[in-house]
Amino acid sequence: MTPPQASATASPARARLLETASAIFYADGIRHVGVDRIIAEAQVTRVTFYRHFPSKEDLVLAHVEQRDQQIRSVVTEAFRTSTDPEALLLMMMAGIGAEICGPGFRGCPFINAAAEYPDPRHPVRRAVQAHRTWFRQTVLNLVTAAGCTDSEHTTAALILLRDGAMAGGDLDDPQSVREHLMRTVSAVLEDGRKAR
């Protein structure tokens, strides 16, 4: 895959293509959505598409990387509101709870993408892994700062809760999943503090 041209970054057509493709990929999956549909729904020409994204794979990668940057920005903004690590963990998990209760929720976009790109060497799968590595490290840093002694275990438990909530929010009653997520996160953090 080739990186898009730097000048294309601010292009309204590129932004429209990425926004349109991201919505379609999330709603209907990635592999079976064709370039023609994206071009039609974004209302651009084929030439415009290929000027910004030399291949569909480049567009998929941009979709995953953009979602990663959006989440990092939200977390960075949350960190400006508090320095309390436990409050920040609860805020992050509450954000996940709100996401799963949002309209059109169809599970974790990263897990969804990973399911369609199983090869760990593929750039899309590497982008998914980069997001998970960042998220895991962010949670570990907060868990450690919150004083949980077995921070690796507490972090792993919180990641499992997050992943389970993302699946359950799509398959089960999202309000119930959100409630159980928050109750269990609090219990896991309390258990981590008791180990001190």
Side-chain angles (χ1 to χ4, degrees), residues 4-5 8 12 15 18 21 29-30 52 57 81 94 112 119 125 137 142 150 154-155 174 186-187 195:
Q5 296 174 356
L18 189 51
I30 296 171
H52 295 293
E57 299 297 302
T81 67
N112 294 350
D119 181 354
R125 185 63 178 251
Q137 189 60 55
L142 291 172
D150 192 351
T154 303
T155 297
S186 294

Short mmCIF file of all heavy atoms in Angstrom, two decimals, residues 4-5 8 12 15 18 21 29-30 52 57 81 94 112 119 125 137 142 150 154-155 174 186-187 195:
data_model
loop_
_atom_site.label_atom_id
_atom_site.label_comp_id
_atom_site.label_asym_id
_atom_site.label_seq_id
_atom_site.Cartn_x
_atom_site.Cartn_y
_atom_site.Cartn_z
N PRO A 4 -1.17 8.02 1.12
CA PRO A 4 -1.77 9.07 0.33
C PRO A 4 -0.89 10.30 0.32
O PRO A 4 -0.10 10.51 1.24
CB PRO A 4 -3.09 9.36 1.04
CG PRO A 4 -3.06 8.63 2.32
CD PRO A 4 -1.93 7.66 2.28
N GLN A 5 -1.01 11.10 -0.71
CA GLN A 5 -0.19 12.29 -0.82
C GLN A 5 -0.52 13.24 0.32
O GLN A 5 -1.66 13.37 0.72
CB GLN A 5 -0.47 12.99 -2.16
CG GLN A 5 -0.07 12.15 -3.35
CD GLN A 5 -0.48 12.82 -4.66
OE1 GLN A 5 -1.12 13.84 -4.68
NE2 GLN A 5 -0.09 12.20 -5.74
N ALA A 8 -3.22 15.76 -0.05
CA ALA A 8 -4.58 15.25 -0.08
C ALA A 8 -5.22 15.24 1.30
O ALA A 8 -6.43 15.09 1.42
CB ALA A 8 -4.59 13.83 -0.66
N PRO A 12 -11.48 18.14 0.85
CA PRO A 12 -12.86 17.79 1.21
C PRO A 12 -13.30 16.47 0.57
O PRO A 12 -14.05 15.71 1.19
CB PRO A 12 -13.68 18.96 0.66
CG PRO A 12 -12.71 20.09 0.53
CD PRO A 12 -11.37 19.46 0.24
N ALA A 15 -11.86 13.65 2.65
CA ALA A 15 -12.59 13.55 3.91
C ALA A 15 -13.96 12.91 3.69
O ALA A 15 -14.40 12.07 4.49
CB ALA A 15 -12.74 14.93 4.54
N LEU A 18 -13.52 9.15 3.09
CA LEU A 18 -13.18 8.45 4.32
C LEU A 18 -14.40 8.37 5.24
O LEU A 18 -14.68 7.30 5.82
CB LEU A 18 -12.01 9.15 5.01
CG LEU A 18 -11.39 8.46 6.20
CD1 LEU A 18 -11.03 7.01 5.89
CD2 LEU A 18 -10.15 9.22 6.64
N ALA A 21 -16.89 5.85 3.58
CA ALA A 21 -16.39 4.48 3.67
C ALA A 21 -16.44 3.97 5.11
O ALA A 21 -16.84 2.83 5.35
CB ALA A 21 -14.96 4.40 3.13
N GLY A 29 -19.67 -4.18 7.04
CA GLY A 29 -18.45 -4.96 6.90
C GLY A 29 -17.54 -4.36 5.85
O GLY A 29 -17.95 -3.48 5.09
N ILE A 30 -16.32 -4.84 5.80
CA ILE A 30 -15.31 -4.23 4.93
C ILE A 30 -15.15 -5.00 3.62
O ILE A 30 -15.25 -4.42 2.54
CB ILE A 30 -13.95 -4.17 5.65
CG1 ILE A 30 -14.05 -3.23 6.86
CG2 ILE A 30 -12.85 -3.71 4.70
CD1 ILE A 30 -12.84 -3.25 7.78
N HIS A 52 -6.74 9.86 -4.11
CA HIS A 52 -6.57 9.92 -2.65
C HIS A 52 -6.23 8.57 -2.03
O HIS A 52 -5.53 8.51 -1.03
CB HIS A 52 -7.83 10.48 -2.01
CG HIS A 52 -8.10 11.90 -2.38
ND1 HIS A 52 -7.30 12.94 -1.99
CD2 HIS A 52 -9.07 12.44 -3.16
CE1 HIS A 52 -7.77 14.07 -2.49
NE2 HIS A 52 -8.84 13.80 -3.20
N GLU A 57 -7.53 -1.06 -0.07
CA GLU A 57 -6.79 -1.38 1.16
C GLU A 57 -6.23 -0.13 1.82
O GLU A 57 -6.20 -0.03 3.04
CB GLU A 57 -5.66 -2.38 0.85
CG GLU A 57 -6.15 -3.70 0.29
CD GLU A 57 -7.04 -4.46 1.26
OE1 GLU A 57 -6.60 -4.77 2.37
OE2 GLU A 57 -8.20 -4.74 0.89
N THR A 81 -9.28 16.79 32.08
CA THR A 81 -10.32 17.11 33.06
C THR A 81 -10.03 16.55 34.45
O THR A 81 -10.66 16.96 35.41
CB THR A 81 -11.69 16.56 32.60
OG1 THR A 81 -11.65 15.13 32.59
CG2 THR A 81 -12.05 17.08 31.22
N ALA A 94 -17.00 4.39 31.10
CA ALA A 94 -18.31 5.01 30.90
C ALA A 94 -18.46 5.43 29.44
O ALA A 94 -19.55 5.33 28.87
CB ALA A 94 -18.49 6.19 31.84
N ASN A 112 -13.91 -5.87 14.64
CA ASN A 112 -14.54 -6.17 13.36
C ASN A 112 -13.52 -6.21 12.23
O ASN A 112 -13.53 -7.10 11.39
CB ASN A 112 -15.63 -5.14 13.05
CG ASN A 112 -16.80 -5.19 14.01
OD1 ASN A 112 -16.93 -6.11 14.81
ND2 ASN A 112 -17.66 -4.19 13.94
N ASP A 119 -4.50 -11.95 8.89
CA ASP A 119 -3.04 -12.04 8.76
C ASP A 119 -2.39 -10.97 9.63
O ASP A 119 -2.56 -9.77 9.38
CB ASP A 119 -2.64 -11.84 7.29
CG ASP A 119 -1.13 -11.94 7.07
OD1 ASP A 119 -0.36 -12.07 8.06
OD2 ASP A 119 -0.72 -11.89 5.90
N ARG A 125 -4.29 -5.08 9.96
CA ARG A 125 -4.21 -5.82 11.23
C ARG A 125 -3.15 -5.19 12.14
O ARG A 125 -3.34 -5.10 13.36
CB ARG A 125 -3.87 -7.28 10.94
CG ARG A 125 -3.87 -8.18 12.16
CD ARG A 125 -5.26 -8.25 12.81
NE ARG A 125 -5.25 -9.14 13.94
CZ ARG A 125 -5.85 -10.32 13.95
NH1 ARG A 125 -6.54 -10.74 12.91
NH2 ARG A 125 -5.79 -11.08 15.01
N GLN A 137 -1.71 -0.13 27.14
CA GLN A 137 -0.70 0.62 27.89
C GLN A 137 -1.33 1.77 28.67
O GLN A 137 -0.95 2.05 29.81
CB GLN A 137 0.38 1.15 26.95
CG GLN A 137 1.57 1.76 27.67
CD GLN A 137 2.27 0.75 28.58
OE1 GLN A 137 2.67 -0.32 28.14
NE2 GLN A 137 2.43 1.09 29.86
N LEU A 142 -2.82 3.75 34.08
CA LEU A 142 -3.82 4.24 35.03
C LEU A 142 -4.01 3.27 36.19
O LEU A 142 -4.11 3.69 37.34
CB LEU A 142 -5.15 4.48 34.31
CG LEU A 142 -5.16 5.66 33.33
CD1 LEU A 142 -6.45 5.68 32.53
CD2 LEU A 142 -4.96 6.98 34.06
N ASP A 150 -1.39 -5.90 41.53
CA ASP A 150 -1.22 -6.80 40.38
C ASP A 150 -1.78 -6.08 39.15
O ASP A 150 -2.84 -6.43 38.62
CB ASP A 150 -1.92 -8.13 40.62
CG ASP A 150 -1.54 -9.19 39.59
OD1 ASP A 150 -0.87 -8.83 38.59
OD2 ASP A 150 -1.95 -10.35 39.76
N THR A 154 -5.10 -6.81 36.66
CA THR A 154 -6.21 -5.85 36.64
C THR A 154 -6.40 -5.28 35.25
O THR A 154 -7.54 -5.14 34.76
CB THR A 154 -5.97 -4.73 37.67
OG1 THR A 154 -5.81 -5.32 38.97
CG2 THR A 154 -7.13 -3.75 37.71
N THR A 155 -5.30 -4.97 34.58
CA THR A 155 -5.38 -4.45 33.20
C THR A 155 -6.00 -5.48 32.28
O THR A 155 -6.90 -5.16 31.49
CB THR A 155 -3.98 -4.04 32.70
OG1 THR A 155 -3.49 -2.99 33.53
CG2 THR A 155 -4.02 -3.58 31.26
N PRO A 174 -28.09 -3.41 25.19
CA PRO A 174 -26.94 -2.55 25.47
C PRO A 174 -27.02 -1.83 26.81
O PRO A 174 -25.99 -1.64 27.47
CB PRO A 174 -26.92 -1.56 24.30
CG PRO A 174 -28.17 -1.74 23.55
CD PRO A 174 -28.78 -3.03 23.96
N SER A 186 -15.90 -1.42 38.53
CA SER A 186 -15.70 -0.95 39.91
C SER A 186 -15.25 -2.08 40.82
O SER A 186 -14.35 -1.91 41.66
CB SER A 186 -17.00 -0.33 40.45
OG SER A 186 -17.31 0.84 39.72
N ALA A 187 -15.84 -3.27 40.64
CA ALA A 187 -15.45 -4.42 41.46
C ALA A 187 -14.01 -4.84 41.18
O ALA A 187 -13.26 -5.17 42.11
CB ALA A 187 -16.41 -5.58 41.21
N ALA A 195 -5.70 -5.92 47.14
CA ALA A 195 -4.49 -6.76 47.08
C ALA A 195 -3.29 -6.05 47.65
O ALA A 195 -2.24 -6.66 47.84
CB ALA A 195 -4.23 -7.18 45.63
#
